[in-house]
Coordinates of all heavy atoms in Angstrom, one line a residue:
P1 N -73.2 13.8 -80.3 CA -72.5 13.0 -79.4 C -72.0 11.7 -80.0 O -71.4 10.8 -79.3 CB -73.4 12.7 -78.3 CG -74.7 12.6 -79.1 CD -74.7 13.7 -80.1
L2 N -72.2 11.3 -81.3 CA -71.9 10.1 -81.8 C -70.3 10.0 -82.0 O -69.6 11.0 -82.2 CB -72.4 9.9 -83.2 CG -73.9 9.8 -83.3 CD1 -74.4 9.6 -84.8 CD2 -74.5 8.7 -82.5
P3 N -69.8 8.8 -81.7 CA -68.3 8.7 -81.9 C -67.9 8.9 -83.3 O -68.8 8.7 -84.2 CB -68.1 7.1 -81.4 CG -69.3 6.8 -80.6 CD -70.5 7.6 -81.2
A4 N -66.7 9.1 -83.5 CA -66.2 9.4 -84.9 C -66.4 8.1 -85.7 O -66.2 7.0 -85.3 CB -64.7 9.7 -84.9
G5 N -66.9 8.3 -86.9 CA -67.2 7.2 -87.8 C -68.6 6.7 -87.8 O -68.9 5.9 -88.7
F6 N -69.4 7.3 -86.9 CA -70.9 6.9 -86.9 C -71.8 8.0 -87.4 O -71.4 9.2 -87.2 CB -71.2 6.5 -85.5 CG -70.8 5.2 -85.1 CD1 -69.4 4.9 -84.6 CD2 -71.6 4.0 -85.1 CE1 -69.0 3.7 -84.2 CE2 -71.2 2.8 -84.7 CZ -69.9 2.6 -84.2
V7 N -72.9 7.5 -87.9 CA -73.9 8.5 -88.5 C -75.3 8.0 -88.2 O -75.5 6.9 -87.9 CB -73.7 8.8 -89.9 CG1 -72.4 9.4 -90.4 CG2 -74.0 7.4 -90.8
R8 N -76.2 9.0 -88.2 CA -77.6 8.6 -88.1 C -78.1 8.3 -89.6 O -77.9 9.1 -90.5 CB -78.5 9.6 -87.5 CG -78.2 9.7 -85.9 CD -79.0 10.7 -85.2 NE -78.7 10.7 -83.8 CZ -77.6 11.2 -83.3 NH1 -76.8 12.1 -84.0 NH2 -77.4 11.2 -82.0
L9 N -78.7 7.2 -89.8 CA -79.1 6.8 -91.1 C -79.9 7.9 -91.8 O -79.7 8.1 -93.0 CB -79.7 5.4 -91.2 CG -80.3 4.9 -92.5 CD1 -79.1 4.7 -93.5 CD2 -81.0 3.6 -92.3
A10 N -80.8 8.5 -91.1 CA -81.6 9.5 -91.7 C -80.9 10.7 -92.3 O -81.4 11.3 -93.3 CB -82.7 10.0 -90.7
D11 N -79.7 10.9 -91.7 CA -78.8 12.0 -92.3 C -78.2 11.6 -93.6 O -77.7 12.5 -94.3 CB -77.8 12.4 -91.3 CG -78.4 13.1 -90.0 OD1 -79.6 13.6 -90.1 OD2 -77.7 13.0 -89.0
V12 N -78.1 10.3 -93.9 CA -77.5 9.8 -95.1 C -78.5 9.5 -96.2 O -78.4 9.9 -97.3 CB -76.6 8.6 -94.8 CG1 -76.1 8.0 -96.1 CG2 -75.5 8.9 -93.9
D13 N -79.7 8.9 -95.8 CA -80.7 8.5 -96.6 C -82.0 8.6 -95.8 O -82.4 7.5 -95.2 CB -80.5 7.1 -97.3 CG -81.4 6.9 -98.4 OD1 -82.5 7.4 -98.4 OD2 -81.0 6.2 -99.4
P14 N -82.8 9.6 -95.9 CA -84.1 9.8 -95.1 C -85.2 8.9 -95.8 O -86.2 8.8 -95.2 CB -84.3 11.2 -95.1 CG -83.6 11.8 -96.4 CD -82.4 10.9 -96.5
T15 N -84.9 8.4 -97.0 CA -86.0 7.7 -97.7 C -86.2 6.2 -97.1 O -87.1 5.7 -97.3 CB -85.7 7.6 -99.2 OG1 -84.7 6.7 -99.4 CG2 -85.5 9.0 -99.8
I16 N -85.1 5.8 -96.4 CA -85.2 4.4 -95.8 C -86.2 4.4 -94.6 O -86.0 5.2 -93.6 CB -83.8 3.9 -95.5 CG1 -82.9 3.7 -96.7 CG2 -83.9 2.5 -94.8 CD1 -81.5 3.3 -96.4
R17 N -87.1 3.5 -94.6 CA -88.1 3.5 -93.5 C -87.5 2.9 -92.3 O -86.7 1.8 -92.4 CB -89.3 2.7 -94.0 CG -90.5 2.8 -93.2 CD -91.7 1.9 -93.7 NE -92.1 2.4 -94.9 CZ -92.9 1.8 -95.8 NH1 -93.5 0.6 -95.4 NH2 -93.3 2.2 -96.9
Q18 N -87.8 3.5 -91.1 CA -87.2 3.0 -89.9 C -88.3 2.5 -89.0 O -89.3 3.2 -88.7 CB -86.4 4.0 -89.2 CG -85.2 4.5 -89.9 CD -84.2 5.4 -89.2 OE1 -84.2 5.3 -88.0 NE2 -83.5 6.3 -89.9
D19 N -88.2 1.3 -88.5 CA -89.1 0.7 -87.5 C -88.3 0.0 -86.4 O -88.2 -1.2 -86.3 CB -89.9 -0.3 -88.3 CG -91.1 -0.9 -87.4 OD1 -91.3 -0.4 -86.3 OD2 -91.8 -1.9 -87.9
I20 N -87.6 0.8 -85.6 CA -86.7 0.3 -84.6 C -87.4 -0.3 -83.4 O -87.9 0.3 -82.5 CB -85.7 1.4 -84.2 CG1 -85.1 2.1 -85.3 CG2 -84.7 0.9 -83.3 CD1 -84.3 1.3 -86.3
R21 N -87.3 -1.7 -83.4 CA -88.3 -2.4 -82.5 C -87.7 -2.4 -81.1 O -88.6 -2.5 -80.2 CB -88.3 -3.9 -83.0 CG -89.2 -3.9 -84.3 CD -90.7 -3.7 -83.9 NE -91.5 -3.5 -85.1 CZ -92.7 -4.0 -85.3 NH1 -93.2 -4.7 -84.3 NH2 -93.4 -3.6 -86.3
Y22 N -86.4 -2.3 -80.8 CA -86.0 -2.4 -79.4 C -86.1 -1.1 -78.6 O -85.9 -1.0 -77.5 CB -84.6 -2.8 -79.4 CG -84.4 -4.2 -80.0 CD1 -83.3 -4.6 -80.8 CD2 -85.3 -5.2 -79.7 CE1 -83.1 -5.8 -81.4 CE2 -85.1 -6.6 -80.3 CZ -84.1 -6.8 -81.1 OH -83.9 -8.0 -81.7
A23 N -86.7 -0.1 -79.3 CA -86.9 1.2 -78.7 C -88.4 1.3 -78.2 O -88.8 2.2 -77.7 CB -86.6 2.4 -79.6
G24 N -89.1 0.2 -78.5 CA -90.5 0.2 -78.1 C -90.9 -1.1 -77.4 O -90.1 -1.7 -76.8
L25 N -92.2 -1.5 -77.5 CA -92.6 -2.7 -76.8 C -92.8 -3.9 -77.6 O -92.9 -5.0 -77.1 CB -94.0 -2.3 -76.1 CG -94.0 -1.1 -75.2 CD1 -95.5 -0.9 -74.6 CD2 -93.0 -1.3 -74.0
E26 N -93.0 -3.7 -78.9 CA -93.2 -4.9 -79.8 C -92.0 -5.6 -80.3 O -91.5 -5.5 -81.4 CB -94.1 -4.4 -81.0 CG -95.5 -4.0 -80.7 CD -96.4 -4.0 -82.0 OE1 -95.9 -3.6 -83.0 OE2 -97.6 -4.3 -81.8
N27 N -91.5 -6.3 -79.3 CA -90.2 -7.1 -79.5 C -90.3 -8.3 -78.6 O -91.1 -8.4 -77.7 CB -88.9 -6.2 -79.4 CG -88.8 -5.6 -78.0 OD1 -88.7 -6.4 -77.0 ND2 -88.9 -4.3 -77.9
F28 N -89.3 -9.1 -78.7 CA -89.3 -10.4 -78.0 C -89.2 -10.1 -76.4 O -89.6 -11.0 -75.6 CB -88.3 -11.4 -78.5 CG -86.9 -11.0 -78.2 CD1 -86.2 -11.4 -77.0 CD2 -86.2 -10.3 -79.1 CE1 -84.9 -11.1 -76.7 CE2 -84.8 -9.9 -78.8 CZ -84.2 -10.4 -77.7
L29 N -88.6 -9.0 -76.1 CA -88.6 -8.6 -74.6 C -89.9 -8.1 -74.0 O -90.1 -8.1 -72.8 CB -87.5 -7.6 -74.4 CG -86.0 -7.8 -74.8 CD1 -85.2 -6.5 -74.7 CD2 -85.5 -8.9 -73.9
H30 N -90.7 -7.6 -74.9 CA -92.0 -7.0 -74.5 C -91.8 -5.7 -73.8 O -92.6 -5.4 -73.0 CB -92.9 -8.0 -73.7 CG -93.3 -9.2 -74.5 ND1 -94.3 -9.1 -75.5 CD2 -92.9 -10.5 -74.5 CE1 -94.4 -10.4 -76.1 NE2 -93.6 -11.2 -75.4
R31 N -90.6 -5.1 -74.0 CA -90.3 -3.8 -73.4 C -89.1 -3.3 -74.1 O -88.5 -3.9 -75.0 CB -89.9 -4.1 -71.9 CG -88.7 -5.0 -71.7 CD -88.2 -4.9 -70.2 NE -87.2 -5.9 -70.0 CZ -85.8 -5.8 -70.3 NH1 -85.5 -4.7 -71.0 NH2 -84.9 -6.7 -70.0
K32 N -88.9 -2.0 -73.8 CA -87.8 -1.4 -74.4 C -86.4 -1.9 -73.9 O -86.2 -2.3 -72.7 CB -87.8 0.2 -74.0 CG -86.7 1.0 -74.7 CD -86.7 2.5 -74.2 CE -88.1 3.1 -74.7 NZ -88.1 4.6 -74.4
A33 N -85.4 -2.1 -74.8 CA -84.1 -2.7 -74.4 C -83.2 -1.5 -73.8 O -83.4 -0.4 -74.2 CB -83.4 -3.3 -75.6
D34 N -82.4 -1.9 -72.9 CA -81.5 -0.9 -72.3 C -80.6 -0.3 -73.3 O -80.0 -0.9 -74.2 CB -80.6 -1.7 -71.2 CG -79.8 -0.7 -70.4 OD1 -80.1 0.5 -70.3 OD2 -78.9 -1.1 -69.7
G35 N -80.5 1.1 -73.3 CA -79.7 1.8 -74.2 C -80.4 2.3 -75.4 O -79.8 3.2 -76.1
Y36 N -81.6 2.0 -75.6 CA -82.4 2.6 -76.7 C -83.3 3.8 -76.2 O -84.3 3.6 -75.7 CB -83.3 1.5 -77.3 CG -82.6 0.6 -78.2 CD1 -81.9 -0.6 -77.7 CD2 -82.5 0.7 -79.6 CE1 -81.2 -1.4 -78.4 CE2 -81.9 -0.2 -80.4 CZ -81.2 -1.2 -79.9 OH -80.5 -2.2 -80.6
E37 N -82.7 5.0 -76.4 CA -83.4 6.2 -75.9 C -84.3 6.8 -77.0 O -85.1 7.7 -76.7 CB -82.4 7.2 -75.4 CG -81.5 6.7 -74.3 CD -80.5 7.6 -73.7 OE1 -80.5 8.8 -74.2 OE2 -79.7 7.3 -72.8
A38 N -84.1 6.3 -78.3 CA -84.9 6.8 -79.3 C -85.0 5.8 -80.4 O -84.1 5.0 -80.6 CB -84.4 8.1 -79.8
P39 N -86.1 5.7 -81.2 CA -86.3 4.8 -82.3 C -85.5 5.2 -83.5 O -86.1 5.6 -84.6 CB -87.8 4.8 -82.5 CG -88.2 6.2 -82.2 CD -87.4 6.6 -81.1
V40 N -84.2 5.2 -83.4 CA -83.3 5.8 -84.5 C -82.3 4.7 -84.9 O -81.7 4.0 -84.1 CB -82.7 7.0 -83.9 CG1 -81.6 7.5 -84.9 CG2 -83.6 8.1 -83.7
C41 N -82.0 4.7 -86.2 CA -81.0 3.9 -86.8 C -79.7 4.6 -86.9 O -79.5 5.6 -87.5 CB -81.4 3.4 -88.1 SG -80.1 2.4 -89.0

């Protein structure tokens, strides 16, 4: 479903470590941010 021109980083380089903070609780909001349905770059 990604728009043209966008990719998931893991499909380009799976060796880069991902720690997507706004998809979880350990961020300055102390909750998930709107629009983050998965911890994916």
Side-chain angles (χ1 to χ4, degrees):
L2 296 181
F6 284 81
V7 297
R8 291 181 177 83
L9 179 60
D11 292 335
V12 175
D13 194 329
T15 70
I16 297 175
R17 193 179 297 170
Q18 298 191 29
D19 185 5
I20 307 301
R21 289 290 167 141
Y22 301 136
L25 304 179
E26 285 194 330
N27 59 66
F28 69 92
L29 298 170
H30 297 285
R31 61 170 173 77
K32 185 182 296 187
D34 192 13
Y36 284 81
E37 298 178 8
V40 172
C41 174

